[in-house]
Amino acid sequence: MYELCDIFMAESHLTLPTDPYQASLVIVTSLCGNLLVIISIIYFKQLHVPTNYLILSLAVADLLVGVLVFPLNMAFTVTSCWYHEDLFCKVRGSFDVTLSTASILNLCCISIDRYYAVCQPLTYRSKINDRVIGIMIPVSWGFAAIIGIGIIIAGFNQGKCEESCLIDALISTTLACIFSFYIPVIIMLSIYLKIFIVAQRQANSIQNTTCQSKKSGATVSKTERKATITLAIVMGVFLLCWMPYFLCIIFQPFAYDVTPIAVIETLNWLTLFNSMLNPFIYAFFYSWFRSAFRMIISGKIFQGDFANSKLI
C-alpha cells in the first residue's frame, strides 16, 4: 500500500537502506510464483473452475505488484517523492494503492468462495458459478481502482501543504485504511471463523455417525487439525504482513513522536511480501497445482499438448 503516512513526516529526512540484492530476490520470487499460477490456470483445462479464476485474478494483481510496485519502491523512497512532486510519483502512488487493494479484495472474494464451498456445499455450484465470478472480479478491480485514483484526486500526495492539509490527509488516510484493509479483514476473519466452526461441526457429526473406531477418530482428528492449520496460515500470514503497517497508519496522527520514514518504508515492504507469499499459500496447498508447476518447470508442456492432462 502507498505510504499514506508521508504527509505527517514532512520534517523527516530518513531513507530506507534497502539491499538491492535482497529486493531483487523478492521481486524475482514474486514474479516466478505468480507466473506459475497464471500459466497453470490458463493452460490446464482441469483448473478451469470458478475458484481458480479468483486465484488467477489474485495472481495477476500480485504479479503486477511485483512488476510495477516493487521496482518503483526500490527506485524512489518516501523522501524523493515528497520533495519532488511530479506526475511519476503520483502514478506510482496510484499503482501502489490500486494493486495492493485489488490483492486484498481478491483474497476477500476467495474467502467468500470458500464459505459457500464448505458451509453450503449443496448449493455451491448454483451460487458460485462463472457468471458470479465474472461479476466479482471486475467489481474488485473497479473498486480498487476507484480507491487508488480517488486518493490522488482528493489531493493526497501533494508536495505543498495548505492549512487544512493534515486534516485532509487524516480523512483520506482513515477512509483508505477502512475500505482497503479493515472492512475486508473483518469480512475474511468472520468468514474463516464460520468456516472453521462449520468444518468442526461436520467432523463431529461424521464421528458420531460412524462406528466410533479409533481409526475413524484419528481420521477426523487429522482433518480438524489440517483445517485449523490451513486457516491459521492463511490469515496469520496475511495479518502478519499487513497489520503492522495499517496500525501505524491509523495511530500515527495521535503519536507524540513522528515515526521515522525508514520504519514506514520497512512496514510497506512487509505488506508487499504478501504478494510474494500468496502463490505459496493459495496454490501450493493443492496437489494439482504442484503437479502443474512440475510440468511447467520441467518444460514438459512444451513437448506436446498436455492441456487435458489429469493433475493429481
Side-chain angles (χ1 to χ4, degrees), residues 194-227:
K194 176 66 175 179
I195 290 175
F196 173 72
I197 293 174
V198 171
Q200 190 174 39
R201 187 183 304 151
Q202 291 174 350
N204 291 335
S205 177
I206 293 173
Q207 186 177 26
N208 293 333
T209 56
T210 58
C211 61
Q212 304 293 332
S213 66
K214 293 183 179 180
K215 182 177 179 180
S216 64
T219 301
V220 171
S221 178
K222 182 178 180 180
T223 302
E224 290 179 358
R225 287 197 302 270
K226 184 177 180 180

Side-chain angles (χ1 to χ4, degrees), residues 170 250-256:
L170 177 60
I250 285 295
F251 291 107
Q252 173 61 38
F254 309 103
Y256 178 78

Side-chain angles (χ1 to χ4, degrees), residues 3-232:
E3 294 79 13
L4 301 176
C5 287
D6 292 358
I7 201 151
F8 301 109
M9 304 178 185
E11 300 302 324
S12 176
H13 298 273
L14 295 173
T15 58
L16 180 64
T18 304
D19 186 339
Y21 296 104
Q22 294 178 354
S24 298
L25 179 61
V26 172
I27 293 174
V28 172
T29 303
S30 178
L31 294 179
C32 292
N34 286 293
L35 273 176
L36 283 174
V37 175
I38 294 171
I39 295 172
S40 298
I41 296 175
I42 293 177
Y43 182 79
F44 294 101
K45 293 183 179 180
Q46 180 182 336
L47 302 181
H48 293 180
V49 296
T51 301
N52 290 337
Y53 294 146
L54 289 174
I55 296 179
L56 173 63
S57 178
L58 172 65
V60 171
D62 291 334
L63 178 68
L64 292 176
V65 169
V67 171
L68 298 174
V69 180
F70 275 25
L72 293 179
N73 272 23
M74 289 178 60
F76 292 89
T77 62
V78 177
T79 50
S80 67
C81 267
W82 174 263
Y83 291 110
H84 299 85
E85 178 192 2
D86 55 24
L87 179 62
F88 186 83
C89 286
K90 293 182 180 180
V91 170
R92 174 213 179 195
S94 182
F95 275 134
D96 201 337
V97 173
T98 300
L99 295 176
S100 298
T101 302
S103 182
I104 295 176
L105 294 181
N106 276 290
L107 293 175
C108 191
C109 289
I110 291 174
S111 68
I112 295 174
D113 171 82
R114 292 298 84 205
Y115 169 80
Y116 282 103
V118 175
C119 301
Q120 300 184 25
L122 298 179
T123 59
Y124 170 69
R125 292 187 181 278
S126 62
K127 291 185 177 181
I128 305 296
N129 49 45
D130 291 345
R131 183 179 61 85
V132 174
I133 297 299
I135 295 175
M136 294 173 69
I137 293 176
V139 168
S140 299
W141 281 91
F143 191 71
I146 290 174
I147 294 178
I149 297 173
I151 290 178
I152 305 302
I153 294 178
F156 204 49
N157 189 34
Q158 294 294 322
K160 298 179 180 179
C161 266
E162 299 177 355
E163 293 182 359
S164 61
C165 179
L166 292 177
I167 297 177
D168 293 341
L170 177 60
I171 295 175
S172 299
T173 300
T174 303
L175 292 177
C177 290
I178 290 174
F179 289 105
S180 295
F181 180 73
Y182 288 106
I183 291 180
V185 163
I186 292 174
I187 293 174
M188 282 189 284
L189 284 175
S190 302
I191 288 175
Y192 281 125
L193 177 61
K194 176 66 175 179
I195 290 175
F196 173 72
I197 293 174
V198 171
Q200 190 174 39
R201 187 183 304 151
Q202 291 174 350
N204 291 335
S205 177
I206 293 173
Q207 186 177 26
N208 293 333
T209 56
T210 58
C211 61
Q212 304 293 332
S213 66
K214 293 183 179 180
K215 182 177 179 180
S216 64
T219 301
V220 171
S221 178
K222 182 178 180 180
T223 302
E224 290 179 358
R225 287 197 302 270
K226 184 177 180 180
T228 303
I229 292 173
T230 302
L231 294 179

